[in-house]
């Protein structure tokens, strides 16, 4: 423990005695753990984040009195800063710059900014890949769903004419598709051409508390027919 400043070691021992006054074994464990964590912080490789070393350590001190927690916080900060320096080859520069700007504007520490950037990149790739996959077969998917949606029948519906004469039981109907658009659920029966690919793929049938992801299922069926049966689907 010669590498640990006297004031730091004294504070660690005092905290150990205060937390485990009747347990010498736990005091020793606490002291060893805290000393190891202190050394982990001061000996940490900050890499490109070195200019922010003092800032990170100061924030860690605000975060917790425990060196174990501080070490975890600083490591997460270093990793978060490194994440912000990444430049994935498949993400356009202007997209990456906007994702970074948004992450920095909305989050205080580097770890949260890094997490936000990572999630932004994941979402960009999801949207890009979804659009690339769905665009060539979009019309096919919509037509297949329409066929399925039109085949709904309820024999409990009581039918009456406009003049009140009962015309029998049962009626066919078009089952509505629920899509997620702008974070909100919308029911659709006929128009889908205004939906983005990533919105269309959320289309599902709601059955009480249950859902059937009809568009995702149809995509899997097309994939299965192509891979297992050699179906050739025209792709524009």
């Amino acid at each position: 423990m010669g590498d640990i400043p006297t004031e730091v070691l004294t504070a660690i021992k005092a905290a150990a005695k205060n937390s485990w006054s009747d347990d010498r074994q736990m005091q020793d464990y606490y002291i060893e753990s805290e000393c190891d964590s202190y050394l982990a912080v001061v000996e940490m490789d900050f890499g490109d984040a070195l200019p922010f070393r003092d800032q990170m350590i100061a924030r860690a001190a605000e975060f917790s009195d425990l060196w174990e927690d501080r070490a975890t916080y600083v490591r997460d900060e270093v990793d978060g800063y490194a994440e912000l320096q990444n430049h994935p080859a498949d993400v356009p520069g202007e997209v990456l710059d906007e994702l970074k700007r948004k992450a920095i504007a909305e989050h205080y520490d580097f770890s949260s900014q890094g997490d936000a950037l990572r999630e932004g990149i994941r979402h960009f790739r999801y949207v890009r890949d979804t659009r690339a996959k769905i665009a060539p077969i979009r019309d096919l998917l919509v037509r297949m769903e329409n066929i399925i949606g039109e085949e709904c029948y309820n024999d409990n519906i009581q039918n009456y004419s406009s003049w009140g004469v009962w015309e029998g039981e049962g009626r066919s109907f078009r089952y509505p598709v629920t899509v997620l658009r702008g974070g909100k659920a919308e029911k659709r029966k006929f128009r889908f051409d205004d939906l983005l690919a990533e919105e269309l793929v959320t289309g599902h049938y709601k059955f009480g508390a249950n859902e059937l992801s009809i568009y995702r299922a149809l995509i899997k069926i097309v994939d299965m027919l192509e891979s297992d049966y050699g179906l050739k689907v025209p792709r524009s």
Side-chain angles (χ1 to χ4, degrees), residues 210-228:
N210 301 313
E211 298 179 358
L212 190 160
S213 298
I214 181 64
Y215 273 95
R216 295 188 190 280
L218 291 173
I219 292 170
K220 291 180 180 179
I221 289 173
V222 172
D223 288 343
M224 179 269 293
L225 291 174
E226 289 184 319
S227 63
D228 296 355

Side-chain angles (χ1 to χ4, degrees), residues 153-154 156-161 164-171:
Y153 182 84
N154 188 333
N156 291 321
I157 295 177
Q158 304 295 310
N159 299 298
Y160 292 88
S161 66
V165 177
W166 183 66
E167 296 182 338
E169 298 177 339
R171 182 189 303 169

Side-chain angles (χ1 to χ4, degrees), residues 42-96:
V42 298
E43 297 174 358
M44 189 175 298
D45 180 7
F46 282 76
D48 292 338
L50 185 59
F52 301 95
R53 178 183 183 276
D54 292 343
Q55 172 185 308
M56 292 178 179
I57 294 176
R59 288 182 178 177
E62 297 173 359
F63 172 71
S64 175
D65 292 331
L66 295 175
W67 281 104
E68 183 178 12
D69 292 341
R70 295 184 192 184
T72 299
Y73 179 90
V74 173
R75 171 48 62 194
D76 289 345
E77 284 291 274
V78 172
D79 292 343
Y81 185 84
E83 187 76 30
L84 293 173
Q85 311 315 306
N86 286 337
H87 300 278
D90 65 323
V91 181
E94 62 275 14
V95 172
L96 189 62

Side-chain angles (χ1 to χ4, degrees), residues 71-203:
T72 299
Y73 179 90
V74 173
R75 171 48 62 194
D76 289 345
E77 284 291 274
V78 172
D79 292 343
Y81 185 84
E83 187 76 30
L84 293 173
Q85 311 315 306
N86 286 337
H87 300 278
D90 65 323
V91 181
E94 62 275 14
V95 172
L96 189 62
D97 289 344
E98 175 58 22
L99 290 175
K100 289 183 179 181
R101 184 204 63 76
K102 184 177 180 181
I104 293 171
E106 295 180 354
H107 300 279
Y108 174 70
D109 51 34
F110 292 126
S111 61
S112 297
Q113 292 171 8
D115 290 342
L117 177 60
R118 190 182 306 108
E119 176 59 23
I121 292 174
R122 185 206 65 78
H123 180 69
F124 166 79
R125 288 170 173 161
Y126 168 77
V127 171
R128 177 199 62 195
D129 296 345
T130 299
R131 291 178 180 180
K133 184 176 184 64
I134 290 180
I137 58 173
R138 183 185 181 110
D139 290 345
L140 174 62
L141 296 174
V142 171
R143 292 179 64 187
M144 288 195 298
E145 185 285 316
N146 186 63
I147 291 172
I148 295 172
E150 291 282 2
E151 289 300 315
C152 288
Y153 182 84
N154 188 333
D155 61 6
N156 291 321
I157 295 177
Q158 304 295 310
N159 299 298
Y160 292 88
S161 66
S162 57
W163 51 88
V165 177
W166 183 66
E167 296 182 338
E169 298 177 339
R171 182 189 303 169
S172 296
F173 61 97
R174 190 352 174 159
Y175 204 87
V177 180
T178 300
V179 298
L180 301 180
R181 191 181 192 195
K184 297 181 179 180
E186 293 184 6
K187 284 188 177 182
R188 299 287 185 98
K189 289 186 177 181
F190 304 108
R191 187 184 177 191
F192 299 93
D193 60 338
D194 62 323
L195 295 174
L196 298 172
E198 60 271 25
E199 296 170 340
L200 182 68
V201 77
T202 67

